Amino acid sequence: MRPKLLTLLFTFFALFVHAQVPHTTWEQPRVGYNSHSHVFSITKVKLGDEHTEVTMHVNFRPKHWIKMASTAYLQVGDKHYPIRKKTPMWGDKGTTLLELDKEFFLDESGQVDFVCVFDALPKGTAHFDLIEPAGWLIYNIRPNDMMPQGITDTYWRNDKTGDWLIGITGQYIIYDCQVWQILSQMQKKDRHEIIVSNGKTQMPISIDKMKKGKRKISINGEKALNCSPITTATLPDYPTRDERTEFADNGYRGDDSVTIVGWMKDMPDLAKRQNHGTFKLALRNLLADKQELIEIPFDSEGRFSKKLPLLNTSYALAILGNTTAPTVLEPGQTYFFLSDYKTGQTLIMGDDARLQNELLAHDIPYISHGTHVFEGENKVSEERLMNFLAEGKQKLAKANAELDSLIAAHPNLSQRYINFARGGLKVEFGRDLMQARFVTERFDLPKAYVDYVSEELWLQHCKPYTLHDGFSTFMRDYINVCSSSGKAPKVEVLDLIKKMAGCGDITLTEDELAAFDQFVIESKKLKQTIESTEDPEQKKALSTAFNNGGLVQTINTIIGKYQFEISTELRRIQMAHGLDSVASDKTIYELFIARELYNQIENNRRALPKSLLDWMQTQLTIPAFRDYVLQQHEKYEALASKDFSKFTCLLSTDKLEGLTEGEQILRELIAPWKGKIILIDVWGTWCRPCKDALAHSQELYERMKPYDIYFLYMANRSDETSWKNVIKEYNVSGENVGHVNLPVEQQEAVERFLKVNKYPSYFLIGREGHLLDVNADPRNMDAFEELVKGMGK
């Protein structure tokens, strides 16, 4: 009897173990919409008779927490399969079973693999959704090798070329970068005859039955093509190599464009809210040296189309919900961007969209070599900088080795992808290295350091110059370092001012001209007196007395009055000096000058002086560069001539004459508005964040209407023309608005009292006239309104 009993026990144990083994496992399953794709990804699904396990990978902020609610469930059709609090599981080594409704804190890596156990899904389940009602959701979880059943919601590639040829949905066909309406559809077994229209033309499409995972597709009566379904999240590798090396280069014509078409298909309401109803492209404006966010509204079904100006072939970042997709846009092309939220696929269609699809499918290795490593150091030594360079070289070599592995694993990657990736790594590294100029004294980098950048990184695989996003910063820093390394010509400011007066850039009165002549005479006398004096203390006393005298103060006032004109002329002299040797490429030379002049206008919010404008006309031969600067120049020229009389918000400063104490000056300024809440905005016309904030002034005034606030704007070191232009440009005016542009000494006194250490700076005065110790930044209007609300009536 004993042997039989053991046999029965063993049989029972074997059956029990067998019952616990999953009948199906999906490795790296495909998903559709994932509301938190930047945090969670599903790595495995196990389906069994007892339960279903879903394994997830989290990549989030270190030491932050995640939580899985007990209300989470899987959904198949209309049926829900809830998460289980406690259950036996198959599990995998290294995974964690989260305790429901409790915070799980991540370690320093910010990563964890965890398993969730749900009630068993029905056998034969092909796909399901995972929903956590209080937090996030993932749609259409399915095997990664799942072949399409039928033709609805499928995408097909031309087997010969590898390109995405056609997409088929319930009502539409995507072909030739257009969405075509299906007018009629006949199906005989697995063959389909479809008539479509784009509103102008009708077209027949024939789709043969599936054979060995492929279909023959004929479009508009043309020869049928062998096509395979695209089952991956992005387009698979192309079947052959593309040996082209060049990118389209239109010579920066300025009148070129690219057409962006697309469809955010089956977008859930949550994703629509995240996208604010627009498809977004982040595109670097090389002439303005800034990234611009282009928003293209889509219709109720998620479709969009827009023709965009394009200076030349450019890097761009497509923003698709909570994910981004790097791409390259070439002039004259049309690109169709598909983001299918049901299938989780992102594809690009176009006459030449191979590189774009390869960039979607294969991430380029990234170098992170920022100057944050020098944080807290006042002056970085040459040795530290050379070590920084050596460490960066190692990172560059590692990134290139990773790229080599990627190329070996995907031998059909196009040569343009490889060149773009190699060039991008060099541009990225060069940008990071040249940013180190800001941690040195007088932007002085070691010669060997700069020589390496010049020989190994500068202008390597980066034409056209709009091709890589980091090139804009790289060029600015590199040229500024190299052009300032030589000995700049000595410029006498008084001679410069007289020269500028002679050509009409500035106008000097007879008294000012006389003051200059007198200054020259008195300076010579002082020099002779000091040279004949032996006592050092007496020499110092003579210099101090002269510098504190009324004549020097008069000269300084004149210089301050024409600060913009003087600084722009000095910048022109600096640009002309040494720029030829650094920017030997004519396009780089003109691009740098155009950017500098544009930034002079943008930073100062005023038109160029005549002499600088004339010089620009001789230097810029590329029409797009010249016209871009001229357009900005004419904008502020027109703004300066605009009538300012309607702006009644400039405050009289007569009562402040002779005051030197910051608190006293401020008290006099705010005295008329005691009983109101007063917001003080310390800003400058030269400060970009200040101007960005002022652009929302009228929105702020409207929002704050119920609270009786007075807005006092105090300009720092801003010349009168620029100051008034900014006020006019952004309409920074109203009944409760006041502006002052105090003399430098008085403004500095007020700022010392307020302890200003950044721009813009905001301060709140209560109704009793007391300075409040609060964070009063109106750029966050919600928080600012809550702060003001709490102050009562």
Side-chain angles (χ1 to χ4, degrees), residues 372-641:
H372 60 274
V373 296
F374 301 123
E375 189 174 346
E377 300 182 45
N378 293 327
K379 180 188 173 184
V380 177
S381 67
E382 181 171 328
E383 182 182 3
R384 286 272 285 128
L385 286 166
M386 295 308 293
N387 287 338
F388 181 68
L389 171 61
E391 291 165 5
K393 287 181 183 179
Q394 292 177 355
K395 291 181 179 180
L396 178 62
K398 181 182 177 183
N400 273 306
E402 290 175 10
L403 183 58
D404 289 339
S405 298
L406 178 66
I407 295 167
H410 302 275
N412 283 347
L413 277 172
S414 68
Q415 192 60 46
R416 297 210 311 163
Y417 175 93
I418 296 169
N419 288 355
F420 177 79
R422 299 272 191 223
L425 288 173
K426 290 189 174 185
V427 165
E428 185 183 315
F429 185 38
R431 177 201 61 199
D432 290 347
L433 289 179
M434 297 314 295
Q435 280 280 289
R437 74 188 184 107
F438 294 107
V439 299
T440 65
E441 189 175 22
R442 293 179 282 107
F443 303 146
D444 191 15
L445 293 169
K447 183 177 184 302
Y449 186 104
V450 178
D451 285 347
Y452 170 81
V453 175
S454 300
E455 294 163 12
E456 302 295 332
L457 307 176
W458 178 241
L459 302 188
Q460 299 293 319
H461 300 299
C462 61
K463 284 187 176 181
Y465 300 124
T466 44
L467 185 59
H468 297 290
D469 187 59
F471 183 74
S472 181
T473 304
F474 183 18
M475 179 184 73
R476 180 198 66 203
D477 292 342
Y478 176 77
I479 290 181
N480 278 328
V481 166
C482 294
S483 62
S484 62
S485 59
K487 186 167 181 164
K490 186 177 179 181
V491 178
E492 293 290 348
V493 174
L494 296 187
D495 292 339
L496 183 65
I497 290 175
K498 283 187 174 181
K499 178 184 174 184
M500 294 171 71
C503 66
D505 278 346
I506 61 177
T507 303
L508 296 177
T509 66
E510 292 295 328
D511 288 343
E512 288 172 336
L513 285 169
F516 277 126
D517 293 337
Q518 185 66 25
F519 181 82
V520 173
I521 295 169
E522 296 299 329
S523 296
K524 286 180 179 178
K525 285 182 181 179
L526 176 65
K527 184 179 179 182
Q528 291 170 356
T529 304
I530 288 177
E531 287 174 352
S532 63
T533 302
E534 295 183 2
D535 184 0
E537 290 299 322
Q538 191 175 355
K539 287 184 178 183
K540 184 178 178 181
L542 287 168
S543 295
T544 301
F546 182 78
N547 289 330
N548 290 337
L551 181 59
V552 171
Q553 290 183 12
T554 300
I555 296 299
N556 285 338
T557 300
I558 297 169
I559 292 173
K561 181 179 176 182
Y562 298 110
Q563 185 178 355
F564 168 72
E565 289 84 357
I566 294 168
S567 64
T568 52
E569 180 60 14
L570 287 172
R571 184 62 184 137
R572 184 197 68 77
I573 293 169
Q574 185 184 15
M575 280 192 292
H577 169 70
L579 183 58
D580 284 336
S581 60
V582 180
S584 53
D585 182 303
K586 180 177 178 295
T587 301
I588 288 283
Y589 176 86
E590 294 199 22
L591 175 58
F592 185 77
I593 288 175
R595 278 169 44 126
E596 288 294 300
L597 294 178
Y598 174 89
N599 282 325
Q600 284 285 342
I601 300 169
E602 177 70 11
N603 291 340
N604 293 283
R605 289 301 204 271
R606 58 179 295 181
L608 295 172
K610 182 178 181 304
S611 60
L612 197 55
L613 188 65
D614 292 342
W615 179 76
M616 180 205 73
Q617 299 277 23
T618 66
Q619 300 300 306
L620 300 186
T621 63
I622 298 174
F625 295 176
R626 184 182 63 244
D627 294 346
Y628 193 77
V629 178
L630 276 175
Q631 183 181 22
Q632 194 74 348
H633 167 83
E634 289 166 359
K635 171 185 172 180
Y636 286 102
E637 195 173 46
L639 199 60
S641 62

Side-chain angles (χ1 to χ4, degrees), residues 52 72-84 117-122 125 128-129:
T52 299
Y73 59 88
L74 305 182
Q75 182 168 329
V76 179
D78 295 329
K79 292 188 176 181
H80 294 183
Y81 299 83
I83 196 166
R84 292 181 175 181
V117 181
F118 298 84
D119 281 357
L121 297 180
T125 295
F128 62 89
D129 303 331

